[in-house]
């Protein structure tokens, strides 16, 4: 439904959007993520036909945004950032204008306004001036005016901005319902909303795509967020000073090691905590307690087998190995956008190799 | 339906959508009421008090219409000052331009909206001729020419102030730039009175002066040159306005 091919926008020498390509299929909600200044709004404006690209092409429902912009505009419903609306108009008049501007006949427009108002939950404020609306109603009105001509594609720029948790839940539910029948391109800062709503995500940084794919796959595939929790018992005999966390930190394949519980030599069991077990155990010099570590690999290709090999090599007993599946999109976001920004800065630096 | 008919129909629907929106906004804003009052009252005071229409004992409204260019300079920028500035400030220009109506329909729709306010204003001035024509043998043709001239002058003035405010971001600036533009174009022919200019330049200044071109209408003359000049100004200013709007998107 939306095909973006090498779309770029430059202001003098500064690339706001550089060679961005992606697609959004029908009945798919694609999340567009990126830090401030990443080029998200510029990209959406080009797709909505309010900003002319410097190069590249995009097709909206098969219509080029360059050569068939009228047809492309007719196929989208667009909610710009901050849900702008005419303050002086009544809500019904705002919706009526959106219907008129998309060539709905008078009879169709009346029905469309009523339907969309009901769907978006703004029927009770139809006869109120836009300037009197709360933030939540304004966002709903923005979505309603984007939906009034029943377009196959929705482009939404920060539809959750300024909403309280209850309003966000309502908008999320509305978007979920809309996404069942339309292609939706959703730009937002709220990573939780993207995780909750979008099957796929495109990450932008410094105008470039730095990550793209199914949301869960992107989270799971990120090296720094796929972590392992280990329960390791170090060797009883020398070297007494052996610390599994230090040993793992010394491996090139490991990015970081966090000690959740520091084990120590113990006489009884391994269930005692660090405080009480450490002194007694160290004095006794008998059986050792398990260390609990959380390890982040440096390479995405690293798997659990590495830890078995490491344990054998260091005469440790690996009592438990658990992959922590629930990574956070926030970490993926930070990791990929930081890397993308560095790459962009490097490429734009004088004399940089391309 | 041929492709041309379809294009025309779409263009009409686009302009009509923008025009209806503009009229709803004018209706809710109170601007037309202030402008109409700000026009009718000073025009009447001028005509009956300072011009002393009754004392002059002439069956002509020439003095009444002579005040129009001055009042236009002060009032018409107030009609158009919010047209672009408010759209840009509130972000609705982006919303408007994302609709399939096109930049031309946006410009023409806004122009027609502003012109509608002026037409309403001119319609309300009819109470003056309707009242005074009973007092003597007025030339109806002269009055009709005066109204045609007043409408054309208003159209050209509105198009010009729309053009000069299309890239501005403050209503005050838009108003002041509008006033200055209209003042300069109305008083252009007066420059010859203050500075020695070649005869050809004097002719040119008279030709471009909005007020000088209006004088013929106040005498009841429908000068085709003046009509053409005003119409060309309207088309040119709106065309440039559309170009400016498109350039802002580049």
């Amino acid at each position: 439904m939306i095909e973006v091919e090498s779309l770029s926008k430059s202001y003098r020498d500064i690339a706001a959007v550089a060679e961005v390509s992606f697609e959004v299929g029908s009945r798919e909600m694609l999340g567009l993520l990126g830090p401030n200044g990443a080029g998200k709004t510029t990209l959406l404006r080009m797709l909505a036909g309010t900003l002319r690209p410097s190069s590249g092409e995009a097709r909206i429902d098969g219509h080029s945004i360059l050569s068939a912009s009228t047809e492309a505009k007719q196929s989208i419903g667009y909610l710009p950032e901050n849900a702008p609306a005419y303050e002086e108009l009544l809500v019904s008049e705002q919706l009526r204008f959106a219907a008129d501007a998309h060539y709905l006949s008078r009879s169709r427009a009346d029905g469309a306004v009523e339907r969309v108002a009901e769907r978006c939950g703004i029927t009770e404020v139809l006869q109120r001036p836009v300037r009197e609306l709360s933030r939540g109603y304004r966002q709903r009105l923005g979505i309603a005016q984007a939906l009034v001509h029943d377009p196959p594609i929705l482009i939404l720029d920060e539809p959750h901005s300024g909403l309280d948790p209850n309003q966000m839940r309502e908008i999320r539910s509305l978007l979920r319902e809309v996404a069942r029948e339309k292609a939706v391109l959703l730009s937002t800062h709220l990573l939780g909303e993207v995780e909750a709503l979008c099957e796929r995500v495109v990450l932008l940084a410094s105008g470039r795509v730095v990550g793209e794919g199914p949301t869960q796959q992107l989270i799971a595939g990120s090296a720094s967020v796929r972590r392992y929790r280990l329960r390791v018992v170090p060797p009883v005999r020398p070297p007494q000073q052996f610390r599994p966390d230090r040993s793992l930190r010394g491996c090139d394949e490991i990015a970081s090691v966090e000690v959740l519980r520091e084990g120590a030599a113990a006489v009884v069991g391994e269930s005692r905590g660090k405080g009480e077990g450490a002194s007694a155990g160290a004095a006794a010099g008998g059986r050792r307690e398990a260390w609990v570590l959380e390890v982040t690999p440096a390479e995405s290709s690293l798997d659990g087998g590495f830890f078995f090999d490491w344990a054998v090599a260091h005469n440790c007993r690996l009592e438990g190995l658990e992959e922590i599946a629930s990574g956070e999109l926030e970490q993926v976001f930070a990791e990929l956008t930081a890397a993308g920004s560095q790459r962009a800065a490097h490429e734009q630096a004088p004399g940089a190799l391309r | 339906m041929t492709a041309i008919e379809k294009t025309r129909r779409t263009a009409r629907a686009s302009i009509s959508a923008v025009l209806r929106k503009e009229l709803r906004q004018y209706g809710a804003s109170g601007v037309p009421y202030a402008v109409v009052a700000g026009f009718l009252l000073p025009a009447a005071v001028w005509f009956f008090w300072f011009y002393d229409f009754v004392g002059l004992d002439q069956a002509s409204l020439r003095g009444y219409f002579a005040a129009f260019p001055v009042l236009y300079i002060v009032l018409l920028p107030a009609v158009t000052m919010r047209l672009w500035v408010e759209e840009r400030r509130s972000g609705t220009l982006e919303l408007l331009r994302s609709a399939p109506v096109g930049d031309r329909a946006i410009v023409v729709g806004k122009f027609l909206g502003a012109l509608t306010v002026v037409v309403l204003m001119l319609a309300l001035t009819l109470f003056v001729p309707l009242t005074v024509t009973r007092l003597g043998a007025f030339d109806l043709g002269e009055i009709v020419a005066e109204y045609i001239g007043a409408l054309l002058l208003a159209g050209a003035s509105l198009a010009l102030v729309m053009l000069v405010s299309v890239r501005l971001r403050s209503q005050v600036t838009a108003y002041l730039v509008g006033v200055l533009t209209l003042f300069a174009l109305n008083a252009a022919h007066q420059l010859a009175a203050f500075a020695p200019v070649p005869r050809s330049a004097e002719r040119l200044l008279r030709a471009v002066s909005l007020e000088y071109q209006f004088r013929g209408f106040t005498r009841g003359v429908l000068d085709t040159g003046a009509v053409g000049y005003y119409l060309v100004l309207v088309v040119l200013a709106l065309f440039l306005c559309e170009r400016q709007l498109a350039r802002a998107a580049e």
Side-chain angles (χ1 to χ4, degrees):
Chain A
M1 298 297 274
I2 303 177
E3 300 156 78
V4 182
E5 289 173 17
S6 304
L7 207 61
S8 300
K9 180 70 188 174
S10 300
Y11 296 99
R12 295 199 179 115
D13 294 337
I14 299 164
V17 172
E19 300 279 324
V20 169
S21 302
F22 62 86
E23 287 184 12
V24 186
S26 62
R27 295 177 189 177
E28 179 187 20
M29 192 179 311
L30 178 79
L32 188 62
L33 279 175
N36 286 335
K40 302 188 299 291
T41 296
T42 305
L43 178 61
L44 296 192
R45 283 180 177 165
M46 287 192 281
L47 296 178
T50 64
L51 195 61
R52 200 169 174 79
S54 303
S55 63
E57 171 67 293
R59 275 179 290 280
I60 305 285
D61 201 18
H63 306 294
S64 163
I65 59 166
L66 299 171
S67 58
S69 64
T70 306
E71 290 81 359
K73 285 176 176 181
Q74 184 70 14
S75 303
I76 61 165
Y78 177 46
L79 171 68
E81 202 174 2
N82 299 323
Y86 294 101
E87 303 280 330
E88 309 94 330
L89 298 187
L90 301 177
V91 171
S92 58
E93 290 174 334
Q94 171 78 36
L95 291 175
R96 187 56 198 251
F97 166 64
D100 289 347
H102 289 89
Y103 309 131
L104 263 62
S105 64
R106 186 168 293 187
S107 54
R108 277 184 66 204
D110 289 338
V113 167
E114 274 177 35
R115 268 195 306 278
V116 82
E118 195 178 332
R119 188 175 191 185
C120 297
I122 54 173
T123 308
E124 64 270 31
V125 295
L126 271 177
Q127 296 312 315
R128 273 171 57 184
V130 170
R131 65 173 169 270
E132 290 180 7
L133 295 186
S134 67
R135 184 76 204 173
Y137 273 124
R138 266 191 95 104
Q139 291 294 114
R140 285 160 175 271
L141 169 62
I143 296 171
Q145 61 88 23
L147 282 169
V148 74
H149 60 291
D150 196 20
I153 295 164
L154 274 189
I155 296 178
L156 309 173
D157 196 356
E158 303 284 354
H160 305 91
S161 86
L163 301 182
D164 66 32
N166 286 335
Q167 291 167 334
M168 280 214 300
R169 202 171 53 244
E170 288 165 7
I171 296 287
R172 192 188 306 150
S173 150
L174 173 63
L175 293 181
R176 255 199 206 111
E177 189 197 319
V178 167
R180 282 191 207 122
E181 57 193 54
K182 296 182 192 303
V184 182
L185 177 57
L186 172 74
S187 163
T188 178
H189 282 102
L190 301 174
L191 307 177
E193 291 303 306
V194 169
E195 275 192 271
L197 287 168
C198 304
E199 299 91 352
R200 282 201 309 129
V201 63
V202 168
L203 275 157
L204 276 187
S206 300
R208 292 154 203 275
V209 174
V210 293
E212 182 185 3
T215 312
Q216 292 309 321
Q217 193 177 315
L218 205 64
I219 294 168
S222 172
S224 68
V225 296
R226 191 156 54 89
R227 289 169 300 176
Y228 291 91
R229 186 167 293 168
L230 276 67
R231 285 169 61 83
V232 183
V233 179
V236 174
R237 290 294 167 199
Q240 282 289 322
Q241 68 274 27
F242 180 83
R243 289 176 63 98
D245 56 327
R246 284 189 190 151
S247 170
L248 282 166
R249 283 193 191 108
C251 300
D252 291 342
E253 295 88 344
I254 301 301
S256 67
V257 178
E258 190 184 347
V259 180
L260 300 183
R261 194 177 73 184
E262 190 172 326
V267 180
V268 282
E270 56 188 45
S271 59
R272 276 188 290 182
K274 180 180 160 188
E276 50 184 315
S279 54
R287 190 181 163 205
R288 307 199 75 187
E289 269 189 336
W291 288 58
V292 181
L293 309 171
E294 210 162 274
V295 181
T296 306
E299 297 166 8
S300 58
S301 57
L302 188 139
D303 61 15
F306 167 84
F307 297 104
F308 286 106
D309 294 343
W310 168 84
V312 169
H314 293 87
N315 203 22
C316 297
R317 193 168 74 244
L318 192 60
E319 289 193 337
L321 175 65
E322 179 189 358
E323 185 176 333
I324 303 167
S326 60
E328 288 176 4
L329 191 55
E330 192 176 344
Q331 284 170 286
V332 183
F333 179 81
E335 179 190 310
L336 292 177
T337 54
S341 298
Q342 280 170 9
R343 197 164 59 243
H346 174 69
E347 285 175 9
Q348 286 181 3
L353 294 173
R354 282 170 194 270
Chain B
M1 193 188 299
T2 66
I4 294 172
E5 280 172 348
K6 195 178 171 187
T7 308
R8 278 186 186 157
R9 208 164 155 172
T10 307
R12 272 201 302 273
S14 302
I15 292 169
S16 162
V18 179
L19 174 60
R20 281 203 295 273
K21 189 267 294 178
E22 287 294 321
L23 293 179
R24 283 179 189 133
Q25 279 186 284
Y26 276 122
S29 72
V31 169
Y33 314 111
V35 168
V36 168
F39 186 86
L40 293 182
L41 196 66
V45 169
W46 153 257
F47 185 55
F48 292 107
W49 188 268
F50 295 101
Y51 185 73
D52 193 16
F53 164 73
V54 180
L56 279 174
D57 198 25
Q58 287 177 352
S60 169
L61 290 174
R62 198 176 298 174
Y64 186 55
F65 282 92
F68 281 26
V70 177
L71 291 171
Y72 281 180
I73 291 172
V74 181
L75 291 172
L76 296 193
V79 179
T80 60
M81 67 183 186
R82 49 162 277 284
L83 285 184
W84 303 117
V85 174
E86 267 307 293
E87 292 269 12
R88 192 163 276 122
R89 187 197 61 77
S90 63
T92 47
L93 188 59
E94 197 187 347
L95 195 63
L96 191 55
R97 296 194 73 242
S98 71
V101 292
D103 289 345
R104 185 164 299 168
I106 294 171
V107 171
V108 174
K110 281 181 174 291
F111 170 74
L112 292 178
L115 195 63
T116 305
V117 174
V118 173
V119 168
L120 173 74
M121 186 175 84
L122 291 176
L124 290 173
T125 65
L126 281 170
F127 84 92
V128 173
L130 288 174
T131 310
V132 301
T133 47
R134 294 176 186 173
L135 304 174
F138 283 80
D139 181 356
L140 190 63
E142 185 184 301
I143 295 173
V144 170
E146 283 164 341
Y147 270 105
I148 291 171
L151 187 62
L152 288 168
L153 175 63
S157 303
L158 286 173
L160 283 166
V161 289
M162 273 179 68
L163 172 63
V164 295
S165 65
V166 69
R167 300 289 286 268
L168 300 178
R169 292 178 179 275
S170 146
Q171 288 202 32
V172 175
T173 313
Y175 176 76
L176 292 176
V177 170
V179 168
L180 286 173
T181 305
L182 289 187
F183 176 77
L185 273 168
N186 274 280
H189 65 288
Q190 303 284 5
L191 192 66
F194 297 102
V197 292
R199 201 155 184 81
S200 56
E202 195 180 334
R203 273 202 300 276
L204 180 69
L205 288 171
R206 280 181 183 164
V208 299
S209 167
L210 293 172
E211 195 271 334
Y212 192 82
Q213 295 291 341
F214 183 61
R215 287 181 186 178
F217 293 100
T218 61
R219 290 193 295 269
V221 179
L222 261 180
D223 180 1
T224 50
V227 172
Y229 174 59
Y230 286 143
L231 291 178
V232 166
L233 266 186
V234 170
V235 173
L236 189 65
L238 295 185
F239 172 73
L240 291 175
C241 216
E242 183 193 339
R243 292 290 299 271
Q244 287 289 312
L245 205 55
R247 276 190 64 187
E250 285 175 359

